[in-house]
Structures are given as structure tokens and as C-alpha cells.
Amino acid sequence: MTIRTYILVWAGLLALTAATVIAARLELGRLSIYTVIFIAAAKSTLVVLFFMHLLEEKRLLFKLLLPIALATLAIFIGLTFTDIAAR
Amino acid sequence: MPGAEDTMDTSRARIGMWLFILSEILLFGGLFLLYCVYRYRFPAEFRSASTVLSVADGAFNTAILITSSFAVALAVHFLRLNRPKPVVDLLTGTIALGALFLIVKGSEWADKFAQGLYPSSPVLLARSKGEVLYFGLYFVMTGLHALHVFIGICLLSVLAVLTIKGRISARHPAVLENGGLYWHLVDIIWIFLFPLFYLIA
């Protein structure tokens, strides 16, 4: 990866931060939470792929570790809400 | 054993770091789960409580952490190019940005304390249950995150010294690479904390 790539990712992260602040100011109602979470996920993806070098990772194990942890967390939260939402 | 170091695979060091990162994700994940449940149950209270926070402070701190993450990524980049001087400079810059983050965070907390808002304070307990839960989560999650930033500053200080001494180099990059991974993790956690606490429209 070149310095130019890092600079572009950095600029992208700052732009997305500005975007999330603006998005939160719009009256999006219920969509608002999904919008800011989606932007946060996009920013995290940039950090993981470029700054944490997962994009140039060759071993499958390293590529899979993070998705497995996030899937576990999603299952925790999802299963909890099958209970909470039904009360 | 000549040449043994050349064949040493840094992936073993990395797998340990990634397993640590996974455990950290689940540590904060438990708190994120609590947040989701309580926000689902008290949406209006979370919204009204969040107006106490300054979006400008939160956005400023987000930019600081993103820039510090960028600096660490560049430090690892220059280490791989075997140029220790910019590595040390970038690590010093990262430490300064981390300290600035803690100063802003500290002033935010001081501001809340000045308003009588701290865990179990009479002013806070006079508020509704949902708002008490919001501030409880706010102090625990940003506090735990700030502790991680503080540990990161200490860690990066040690790494900067080791780089100056030549113990970290292009031939031995694993420790700095892992320190960088830790700092990026701290950055990512804040990327989620910022919208969840500051940006409840």
C-alpha cells in the first residue's frame, strides 16, 4: 500500500464523519439510527481493510476471524431481541 | 542458529493479537448489547438525555482519533521501509493526539460533573429511569474506552522508545504492527460510540 492510499482512506474517514453529523441533523426519523450505524460500519471497514491491512492479508484464518466475531455479536444481539421485542 | 530469525513467522504474533482483539470486541459487545436493549425500551429518554452532550466535541474527538490511526498506519508503513526516524515522529504525534483526545473527553466529563451529572448523583437520580440508564452507559462505555486510550498511549510510548533503541525495525516489526492493531481497535470502538451517544437525532 502506498502513502497515497493511506491519505485517501484518512480523507474518506473524515468525510464520512462529516456525513454522519449531517445525516443525524436531517429529520430522518427511524431511518436515522440505521444511517449512522451504516456509516460507522463503513468507516470501520475502511480502518480494518487498509489501516489494519486485512485487504492484503493472504491467510484465510485472519480474513475469517473478524467476521466470525462480528457474526457472534450479531447473533447475541439478534437472539436477545427475539425475546425483548416479543414482550 | 544462523538465519533462524529470518524464518520466524510473524503470523504467530499476529494471531495472538487478533485473538485479543476478538476478546475486546466481545467485552465492548456486551455493553453494546445493553445499550441496544435499553435504547429500544427507552427511545424518547435516550434522545432527551443525549442533548446534554456536545456534538461538536464528539465530532472533534472522532477526527482526532481517526487522524491518530492514520499516523500509526503511516508509522508501520515507514517501519517496513526501514526508516525509523519518521516512525518515531509519527508515534510521538499519535501519543500527542491520544492525549488531546483524553483532555477533550476529560473536559466533557468535568462539564457533566459540574451540572451534577455523575453516576448515582441526586440530580441524575431525579431524572427518568431511561435517562439514568443512558448516563450510566455513557460513563461506563466512554470511561472504559478512555482507559483503552490511556493504555494505548503508554503502549505506544514504549514502542517509540524501542524503535529509537533499534529493538523494533524492519526485521522485527511484529511488536509495532500489533501495537498499531490495538490503536486501530480503539479507534473503531470510538467510531461506534460517537453516533450511539452523540447523534441521537
Side-chain angles (χ1 to χ4, degrees):
Chain A
M1 251 176 256
T2 62
I3 288 182
R4 191 184 145 79
T5 313
Y6 290 115
I7 292 173
L8 285 175
V9 171
W10 174 58
L13 288 169
L14 290 181
L16 284 171
T17 303
T20 195
V21 172
I22 293 165
R25 281 176 181 270
L26 303 174
E27 299 285 327
L28 293 175
R30 284 178 65 89
L31 268 179
S32 181
I33 174 79
Y34 300 114
T35 309
V36 296
I37 291 295
F38 177 78
I39 294 176
K43 287 164 78 178
S44 306
T45 307
L46 282 177
V47 173
V48 168
L49 289 182
F50 293 95
F51 288 176
M52 296 171 94
H53 299 114
L54 225 55
L55 192 64
E56 55 189 31
E57 179 63 55
K58 289 182 186 67
R59 287 163 184 255
L60 185 64
L61 177 65
F62 287 105
K63 283 179 186 283
L64 288 179
L65 277 175
L66 200 59
I68 288 171
L70 294 178
T72 309
L73 188 57
I75 290 168
F76 281 175
I77 294 175
L79 281 181
T80 305
F81 270 82
T82 60
D83 177 15
I84 303 287
R87 282 187 196 179
Chain B
M1 219 165 62
E5 281 173 7
D6 293 335
T7 56
M8 201 177 89
D9 192 347
T10 56
S11 66
R12 271 174 293 168
R14 257 187 310 149
I15 196 164
M17 193 63 209
W18 276 104
L19 286 174
F20 173 72
I21 286 173
L22 300 197
S23 73
E24 289 278 287
I25 288 173
L26 292 182
L27 168 69
F28 277 93
L31 292 168
F32 278 115
L33 173 59
L34 265 184
Y35 175 94
C36 292
V37 170
Y38 285 132
R39 178 161 175 180
Y40 180 80
R41 286 188 62 182
F42 303 99
E45 287 88 341
F46 267 51
R47 193 173 301 127
S48 60
S50 76
T51 58
V52 173
L53 301 190
S54 155
V55 175
D57 285 350
F60 180 68
N61 255 355
T62 307
I64 289 175
L65 270 200
I66 285 172
T67 306
S68 72
S69 234
F70 170 58
V72 166
L74 283 184
V76 172
H77 178 77
F78 281 113
L79 184 74
R80 288 172 177 176
L81 297 176
N82 206 10
R83 290 173 58 190
K85 176 76 173 70
V87 174
V88 174
D89 291 346
L90 286 161
L91 288 179
T92 310
T94 306
I95 292 162
L97 288 168
L100 183 59
F101 176 91
L102 287 183
I103 290 168
V104 174
K105 194 74 239 163
S107 78
E108 283 189 87
W109 272 36
D111 177 53
K112 304 297 166 294
F113 291 176
Q115 294 178 43
L117 292 170
Y118 52 87
S120 297
S121 74
V123 177
L124 183 57
L125 292 181
R127 287 177 168 238
S128 66
K129 195 178 167 195
E131 296 198 352
V132 174
L133 288 165
Y134 171 89
F135 281 108
L137 285 165
Y138 168 75
F139 283 119
V140 169
M141 292 179 83
T142 61
L144 186 62
H145 176 263
L147 179 66
H148 278 78
V149 174
F150 177 72
I151 292 169
I153 289 171
C154 298
L155 179 70
L156 292 177
S157 304
V158 172
L159 296 182
V161 172
L162 289 178
T163 310
I164 292 168
K165 287 185 170 177
R167 297 265 301 277
I168 294 172
S169 63
R171 272 168 57 88
H172 304 280
V175 185
L176 184 66
E177 285 176 353
N178 282 348
L181 289 178
Y182 174 82
W183 194 261
H184 296 311
L185 168 77
V186 172
D187 183 27
I188 289 174
I189 291 166
W190 181 258
I191 283 173
F192 281 95
L193 290 181
F194 171 57
L196 290 182
F197 284 102
Y198 292 77
L199 299 180
I200 308 180

